[in-house]
Amino acid sequence: MTTAPAERFALRLHKVSKAFGGVQALNKIDFEVRAGEVHCLAGENGCGKSTLIKVVTGVHQPESADLIELFGARVDRITPVQARQRGVSVIWQDLALFPHMSVAENIAFDDLVGLRPRSVRYREMSARAGEVLERLGVSLPLTAPLNDLSIAQRQVVAIARALMNDAKLIFMDEPTASLTQSETDRLLDIVRKLSADGVAVVFVSHRLAEVLEIAERVTVVRDGNLVGVYPTEGMTQARLGELMTGHLIENKVDARDLPDAPVVFEARGLSRHGEFEDVSLTIRAGEVLGLTGLIGAGRTELAHVMMGMRRADAGSMTLEGSAFRPGSIREAIAKGMAYVSEDRLSLGLLQKQSIADNTVISVLRQLTTASGLISDRRKADLVRHWIRELGVKIGAPEDAISTLSGGNQQKVVLAKWLATEPRLLILDSPTVGVDVGARAGIFRIVRALAEQGLAILLISDEVTEVMHHSDRILHMADGRIVQAYDPRTVSVPQLEERIYA
Amino acid sequence: MRDALRSHTIEVRLAVVLAVLCIALSLSAPQFATLPNLTSLLNNSAVNLIWAVGLLVVLIAGGIDISFAVASSVVQYVAAQLLMSVGGGNWLLGFLFCGSLGILLGLLNAWLIHGFRIISIVVTIATFNAFFGLLMFFSGGRNIYNLPDWWTARIFIFEHENAQGIWSELTLSVAVMIGCVIATWALIRRSNIGRQLYAFGDNPEGARRAGVNIAVMQGVAFGWMGLMAGIAGLCQVNIVKEVVPNALYGRELDVLAAVVLGGARLGGGKGTILGCILGVMFVAVTQNGLNLLGVSPFAFQMIIGAVILVAISTANIDLSQFFRNKEARS
Ligand SMILES: Nc1ncnc2c1ncn2[C@@H]1O[C@H](COP(=O)(O)OP(=O)(O)O)[C@@H](O)[C@H]1O
Ligand SMILES: [Mg+2]
């Protein structure tokens, strides 16, 4: 332990433990944040990062702790309100906002908490909320219900809320998970500004590049245990990934040429008014085609047209040589298309249903016996096959999907689609909310599927992802394909510059 | 204007429908738009609206209550016994007795829900049965006519005699109702406690992390419902001048329907006093109108059922989209 005077620390934890039932979420963790420092808390999904924040802010009580100290003062039992009064704010991973309340009220909500009755001054509330948003350089409709905002805007609301209380220590739990690159950059600017003003920021993120860019020091946690505290100076992404997962993660360009492989899918001059224009592309059997660009470039809309969820205004598509004009997603699936959506949590999975049921949901007809009932045996076989094939870590197939980590949920979504035996698989931002270790697992699967001859369209706005895992890259901007790249002849910084320019 | 429409879609829609209904009724039933009819409509709605604002608070906080109407009966019965035993009492004592008894019954619900983590619909169905069973057991199902004079006295806050010698009057219950509506509005709209109720109903885990005291919120919501149930019980005796143990049995569903019709969200976080008033008035006007038109009272139940189905299934249609320009593109 360090011998520096205690006031220089915003937060010190010593041997803090917390268990949920049988799961040891935190095991005798030490954690220190210096005043005014940007400190990153890194670790894979489920390693205990959010739990650590909840213990510090009194949402959970630790089951044992040698020391919890905020701004030099020992804390024995703290409540969320007391934590806030001492200057601790949190931007929660799930935002913890109120969907039916107005934006202003969401931002200023903490002022209303407490049992001392007092009257609500809406005008003052709006003014204060407006001020904070101004400080952030964004404008949002203050009276609109939060529901009306996009995910990224809600993220801004959560940030504004954390800045309301003149915090001296702000936890940001994966604040960039649903932001685009430019929004992320703006957030990182805010973090720097806060830090310059003497506010300590604990930044939780999966995105290693961000971590190394913003933080001075990084604390790595694995399975509830402290791995170590490291300066970010001289740290590499590879090394950090290794510390987080406990094994080496390789990231290298792995593109192949497939001139002889048959064309599986082709689009010619595909347009949809206001969404994308004159899109032409081909995907060959066994090929991974990367499609990148800013959010809003029309990539997801294109995928929706390919899946029959919307219709193109102009242009044509062919699938395995014959004209393809799906009128519904059901038709597209029947003809061999599969789509892992961007928003898997709400669209791709039935959160409360079991892992087994989620896996087989798109192939129920195959499992139906002559009597019209679902064969339990066939279902169990199929589920077992895919769980083994994809290496999904689960308790039991009957457990609810919501018990799985992001990476494993994503694998179940994959299993669900692969069970339909597709010819073309569209992966739309498949690693949003998935950590490094699990990402590597997912891309191993993607690569294996490609080698078996599946054609894959990989949509992602993470440049490194398309660079390392696709055979060809298309850059889409403002609804048009602007350029094709070979990952072997372009570098990540070059590509990033083109995209964000 | 667009903002107001957006955030009050249901209220606006209901107000329009109610206005159309009133105009149609005044044209088809000449008695409808007369002062005597409208005042009696208000008198008859007073108890329902007092319950409704109580229930609104529970719905906003993410709960539901089935037991409140029977709780009112329990309060009436116990208060009648207690008041007679202290020599009759007066209005002040009546309010105190009924109010605190109601709060106690509400807190019982809150305690069962929070203490044992049972969902509110299960708890209040259980207490609904328990309250009713106990009440019938102890009262033997007999009515009480022997009530203090002040309680059954007719008190008018408004009287008017028209040319034909027909009286229009508003009873004390209407004044009490207005008081309850204003108090509930102040609670949920103007006080920080009320805003925490909304937050708790909207996102319980988010509220908990912000430091909202969940136990107290359940207590406030169901306690307020209980207070309203107690006051409604007191008023209802003043209207009918007797205590009939099973008189209120079954009224809870009509009130629930009216409040949901008024835009309160089952599941919490949403609902306004205005919507609540409109919902209750809509049900009352429909019933009154059908009555005046000589339609069977059974048809009334059916029509209210159909209206609720239509209201709930169209609640997601966003009226304001007609006012939105094209810029919205994801
Ligand atoms: N309220 C809870 N009840 C039971 N288990 C929980 C709860 N919160 C977290 N856990 C478990 O504790 C572990 C750590 O979770 P969390 O702190 O959310 O991880 P992270 O934020 O690092 O992804 C996980 O295994 C998770 O399943
Ligand atoms: Mg987390």
Side-chain angles (χ1 to χ4, degrees), chain A residues 20 23 25 43-52 54 60 93 173-174:
Chain A
F20 295 105
V23 180
E44 289 201 281
N45 255 334
C47 73
K49 303 179 298 290
S50 300
T51 305
L52 186 135
K54 288 178 191 162
H60 291 321
Q93 183 167 11
D173 198 351
E174 316 220 3

Side-chain angles (χ1 to χ4, degrees), chain B residues 43-104:
Chain B
N43 289 335
N44 294 338
S45 304
V47 169
N48 275 355
L49 192 51
I50 294 172
W51 276 327
V53 291
L55 185 60
L56 174 70
V57 176
V58 167
L59 287 178
I60 284 170
I64 194 169
D65 191 349
I66 304 296
S67 68
F68 60 86
V70 172
S72 293
S73 291
V74 172
V75 169
Q76 291 175 345
Y77 181 78
V78 177
Q81 307 287 344
L82 277 176
L83 286 165
M84 290 318 275
S85 75
V86 297
N90 51 39
W91 274 109
L92 182 66
L93 270 183
F95 270 105
L96 274 176
F97 272 29
C98 291
S100 30
L101 270 168
I103 292 176
L104 274 179

Side-chain angles (χ1 to χ4, degrees), chain A residues 62 72 108 135 155 222 224 239 241 250 288 355 367 381 390 449:
Chain A
R135 229 165 84 204
Q155 188 82 55
R222 191 194 307 150
R239 173 83 184 120
E250 276 185 281
V288 182
I355 296 163
L367 301 177
D381 284 349
L390 301 183
L449 292 169

Side-chain angles (χ1 to χ4, degrees), chain A residues 297-320:
Chain A
R299 299 165 310 171
T300 296
E301 291 74 11
L302 175 65
H304 285 179
V305 166
M306 290 169 69
M307 287 307 292
M309 291 153 80
R310 316 174 186 194
R311 274 181 176 280
D313 302 331
S316 65
M317 295 186 278
T318 51
L319 184 64
E320 305 208 281

Side-chain angles (χ1 to χ4, degrees), chain A residues 140-382:
Chain A
L140 292 175
L142 285 173
T143 53
L146 186 82
N147 251 343
D148 284 6
L149 269 53
S150 70
I151 301 282
Q153 288 175 318
R154 288 182 210 185
Q155 188 82 55
V156 173
V157 171
I159 295 166
R161 181 172 163 196
L163 297 183
M164 276 291 280
N165 306 294
D166 298 319
K168 289 182 285 175
L169 170 61
I170 302 183
F171 287 95
M172 302 192 176
D173 198 351
E174 316 220 3
T176 58
S178 52
L179 300 188
T180 61
Q181 190 64 44
S182 62
E183 286 162 336
T184 301
D185 289 342
R186 197 151 67 214
L187 177 66
L188 296 186
D189 279 343
I190 293 167
V191 170
R192 281 189 204 98
K193 213 153 86 195
L194 287 170
S195 170
D197 292 346
V199 177
V201 177
V202 176
F203 198 84
V204 177
S205 178
H206 289 318
R207 297 190 185 174
L208 304 185
E210 253 165 47
V211 169
L212 296 177
E213 187 185 337
I214 191 76
E216 288 146 44
R217 297 190 304 156
V218 49
T219 294
V220 179
V221 177
R222 191 194 307 150
D223 285 338
N225 293 296
L226 179 70
V227 175
V229 185
Y230 310 88
T232 50
E233 187 130 0
M235 174 68 82
T236 63
Q237 289 195 32
R239 173 83 184 120
L240 191 53
E242 193 187 332
L243 288 169
M244 284 164 58
T245 59
H247 44 82
L248 204 65
I249 302 206
E250 276 185 281
N251 262 334
K252 57 179 193 336
V253 172
D254 203 8
R256 301 154 304 159
D257 283 319
L258 299 150
D260 304 328
V263 170
V264 171
F265 177 88
E266 183 165 14
R268 279 230 197 90
L270 221 50
S271 299
R272 193 177 140 85
H273 181 72
E275 293 182 349
F276 53 86
E277 252 186 274
D278 197 21
V279 169
S280 299
L281 54 86
T282 54
I283 310 177
R284 293 174 185 278
E287 184 181 42
V288 182
L289 177 65
L291 182 62
T292 188
L294 299 174
I295 286 187
R299 299 165 310 171
T300 296
E301 291 74 11
L302 175 65
H304 285 179
V305 166
M306 290 169 69
M307 287 307 292
M309 291 153 80
R310 316 174 186 194
R311 274 181 176 280
D313 302 331
S316 65
M317 295 186 278
T318 51
L319 184 64
E320 305 208 281
S322 41
F324 177 60
R325 242 190 115 66
S328 68
I329 186 162
R330 204 180 303 185
E331 187 186 337
I333 293 170
K335 292 200 167 144
M337 305 283 288
Y339 178 49
V340 175
S341 64
E342 184 172 32
D343 187 3
R344 70 169 181 278
L345 297 186
S346 61
L347 295 178
L349 291 171
L350 307 173
Q351 287 288 325
K352 288 188 178 148
Q353 303 273 338
S354 72
I355 296 163
D357 287 342
N358 269 289
T359 308
V360 300
I361 190 150
S362 46
V363 289
L364 289 179
R365 193 163 306 154
Q366 282 174 39
L367 301 177
T368 311
T369 59
S371 59
L373 300 175
I374 305 280
S375 158
D376 273 341
R377 195 177 47 76
R378 273 194 235 169
K379 172 172 145 186
D381 284 349
L382 192 72

